[in-house]
Amino acid sequence: MKRYDTMGIILISKDQIPPITDIRANSALPIAGRYRIIDFVLSNMSNAGITNIGVATESNYSSLMDHLKSGKPWDLDRKNWGLNILPPSMEKVSYGQIKGNIDMLAGIRDFILKSQQTYVILSLGNEIYNIDFAQVIEQHIESQADVTVLYKNLAGAEESELQRYNLLEIDDEGRVTDIEVQPYYPKTANAGMDIYVMEKALLESIIDECSARGDSDFVKDALIKKMDGMRVYAAEHKGFASKIDTMKSYYQNNMKFLDAEFRAEMFNPERPIYTKTKDQSPTKYGADAEVENSFISDGCQIDGTVINSVLSRGVKIEKGAVVKNSIIMQDSVIEEGVEIDHVVFDKEVVITKGRKLIGQESYPLAIAKGTII
């Protein structure tokens, strides 16, 4: 198979994580300091030689568009194909006509139709992973499947964790026999990763048929209802993969990047993760600065104590301030004598002298953009 014979479509999910998604799409959330969630799926596609990628959004897309722009960091600023950011029809949004991902796909049908690739990888942009998509496409072709669904086995996970996923029942040949959509009583630990591989012609047919019947959900209306008439196979991803759709999952996944082994897996040099670059000076550490096991981006000023935390670009920690187990986004200021623990600060938050804010690992304290306390 020619590696360039595949296109990519990334659908930006509507997962709400207030207050940090009040002004941006979930996929545009910062992670590991300088990256965004969408960087992972976008980089994986680029690393597989996919040069025609459409990013379909429904709302809060300005931050995402500012981050992606021409697609240059992912080598997608091309004369032919490249990165295509596809905002929704304002008319459809105004009249509430976008009820699911089938409606989003119908809104970009012209883009799909004009694309000349044979295969398509359809993915949501709310998970982080590092996958060899070229290998996944090869497996899809070799199995002669109509649709290949990627999944991660979450054996041993708590029931509440499994309830967040679409769970797959798989037979001995790797064929998907049933899909349960976020079931209250999980019967299996095979968690779908919201990544689907198929021929582009099949996707066009699914969009047309579902739209004609008023169906709006890809999994419920296109896969589950048509499973008996299609060869739907599963491909297991044995590395790390995690959905980010709650404040708890956002916090915990950021904290994972403090582990060296985890970083080695996610930032595999054979499949690099790219992001938008900014020309900022290196972080400055004052004479009284103490930093331990933290992920700190460029352009910060550290004069206080930072422990087990993730700091985005331009964060200022003043003398005597103590930051523990926290996520601090771009250009926030922690003034002298402040103590914070288990908090998530959006951009440009200012905590004035002597304040104390304490959250919990299971319920981190989140502060909206531009708040002054």
Side-chain angles (χ1 to χ4, degrees):
M1 183 200 73
K2 296 180 180 179
R3 297 179 74 188
Y4 57 78
D5 200 29
T6 302
M7 65 178 293
I9 297 176
I10 303 172
L11 300 181
I12 304 305
S13 68
K14 288 183 64 178
D15 294 325
Q16 295 297 308
I17 311 177
I20 58 176
T21 55
D22 292 348
I23 58 169
R24 62 171 71 84
N26 185 341
S27 301
L29 283 171
I31 191 161
R34 61 191 293 261
Y35 297 89
R36 305 291 181 103
I37 293 174
I38 196 172
D39 291 340
F40 289 84
V41 59
L42 202 55
S43 297
N44 287 178
M45 288 183 176
S46 176
N47 291 332
I50 298 173
T51 57
N52 180 27
I53 300 175
V55 179
T57 66
E58 181 176 346
S59 60
N60 288 346
Y61 51 84
S62 12
S63 177
L64 189 68
M65 293 177 72
D66 178 68
H67 177 68
L68 299 178
K69 291 188 175 176
S70 66
K72 185 176 181 179
W74 302 272
D75 192 26
L76 294 171
D77 55 335
R78 298 165 177 262
K79 291 183 179 179
N80 297 317
W81 308 121
L83 180 64
N84 301 270
I85 304 173
L86 308 165
S89 163
M90 290 298 100
E91 182 179 355
K92 289 194 173 190
V93 172
S94 299
Y95 286 97
Q97 295 177 350
I98 300 179
K99 298 179 181 178
N101 43 31
I102 288 291
D103 298 321
M104 294 179 69
L105 289 167
I108 63 168
R109 193 187 184 287
D110 287 345
F111 164 74
I112 298 172
L113 191 62
K114 291 175 182 177
S115 298
Q116 299 175 0
Q117 289 76 24
T118 303
Y119 300 95
V120 57
I121 294 180
L122 174 65
S123 174
L124 297 187
N126 64 347
E127 291 204 25
I128 57 171
Y129 43 70
N130 196 326
I131 295 174
D132 185 351
F133 275 144
Q135 185 177 4
V136 172
I137 298 164
E138 293 287 357
Q139 181 175 337
H140 170 76
I141 295 172
E142 290 174 3
S143 67
Q144 298 183 335
D146 292 316
V147 180
T148 295
V149 184
L150 265 72
Y151 75 97
K152 171 74 177 173
N153 187 284
L154 298 180
E158 295 182 2
E159 194 172 75
S160 59
E161 176 71 6
L162 294 174
Q163 290 168 354
R164 297 166 52 221
Y165 291 86
N166 298 332
L167 302 183
L168 315 180
E169 292 193 14
I170 306 167
D171 66 17
D172 294 338
E173 297 180 355
R175 188 163 181 168
V176 179
T177 58
D178 193 18
I179 301 177
E180 292 185 312
V181 178
Q182 299 178 348
Y184 192 76
Y185 296 107
K187 298 177 183 177
T188 176
N190 298 321
M193 294 174 57
D194 293 318
I195 303 173
Y196 310 93
V197 185
M198 69 201 82
E199 288 195 10
K200 184 174 75 74
L202 175 59
L203 179 61
E204 292 171 0
S205 174
I206 287 172
I207 294 170
D208 291 344
E209 185 172 344
C210 287
S211 296
R213 296 177 182 273
D215 295 332
S216 59
D217 188 272
F218 181 81
V219 173
K220 294 178 182 178
D221 299 317
L223 290 187
I224 295 177
K225 290 181 180 179
K226 304 177 187 300
M227 193 169 297
D228 291 339
M230 290 196 304
R231 291 171 55 87
V232 180
Y233 277 75
E236 183 178 4
H237 172 58
K238 295 185 178 180
F240 178 83
S242 181
K243 179 189 292 188
I244 299 178
D245 58 350
T246 64
M247 180 60 70
K248 182 180 178 180
S249 61
Y250 177 69
Y251 176 83
Q252 291 179 340
N253 280 288
N254 266 283
M255 291 296 107
K256 288 181 185 294
F257 282 93
L258 300 180
D259 180 78
E261 292 185 6
F262 180 79
R263 291 198 302 272
E265 176 182 349
M266 297 303 289
F267 298 130
N268 184 340
E270 295 182 1
R271 295 190 301 273
I273 303 300
Y274 307 100
T275 191
K276 177 182 176 181
T277 56
K278 292 185 178 181
D279 296 325
Q280 288 186 298
S281 60
T283 290
K284 297 179 181 179
Y285 297 90
D288 298 314
E290 295 183 21
V291 178
E292 178 183 332
N293 191 39
S294 294
F295 209 93
I296 298 180
S297 305
D298 295 339
C300 295
Q301 174 69 51
I302 311 296
D303 292 298
T305 300
V306 181
I307 300 173
N308 297 330
S309 296
V310 178
L311 274 57
S312 294
R313 296 178 173 107
V315 172
K316 185 176 181 181
I317 310 295
E318 293 188 355
K319 184 178 179 179
V322 178
V323 176
K324 295 181 179 179
N325 309 306
S326 296
I327 301 166
I328 313 297
M329 297 188 198
Q330 187 174 328
D331 296 327
S332 291
V333 177
I334 314 299
E335 293 189 353
E336 187 175 344
V338 168
E339 181 181 348
I340 60 175
D341 192 356
H342 289 99
V343 301
V344 177
F345 288 172
D346 205 330
K347 296 171 60 175
E348 301 166 4
V349 170
V350 177
I351 308 300
T352 58
K353 293 181 180 181
R355 306 295 178 183
K356 186 175 182 179
L357 299 175
I358 307 295
Q360 300 293 326
E361 182 177 358
S362 58
Y363 198 88
L365 178 63
I367 306 296
K369 178 183 176 182
T371 301
I372 300 176
I373 298 178

Coordinates of all heavy atoms in Angstrom, one line a residue, residues 52 57 68 137 289:
N52 N -3.1 14.5 3.9 CA -4.4 15.2 3.7 C -5.3 14.9 5.0 O -5.8 13.9 5.2 CB -5.1 14.6 2.5 CG -6.5 15.3 2.2 OD1 -6.7 16.4 2.6 ND2 -7.4 14.6 1.6
T57 N -14.8 20.9 13.3 CA -15.1 21.5 14.7 C -16.6 21.8 14.7 O -17.2 22.0 13.7 CB -14.3 22.7 15.0 OG1 -14.7 23.8 14.1 CG2 -12.8 22.5 14.8
L68 N -3.3 25.6 15.3 CA -3.0 24.8 14.1 C -2.5 25.6 12.9 O -1.6 25.2 12.3 CB -4.3 23.9 13.7 CG -4.8 22.9 14.7 CD1 -6.0 22.3 14.2 CD2 -3.7 21.9 15.1
I137 N -3.1 0.7 9.3 CA -3.7 0.6 8.0 C -3.4 -0.7 7.3 O -4.3 -1.4 6.7 CB -3.3 1.8 7.1 CG1 -3.7 3.1 7.8 CG2 -3.8 1.7 5.7 CD1 -3.0 4.3 7.3
A289 N 15.0 29.7 44.1 CA 14.1 28.7 43.4 C 14.4 27.3 43.9 O 15.6 26.9 44.0 CB 14.2 28.9 41.9

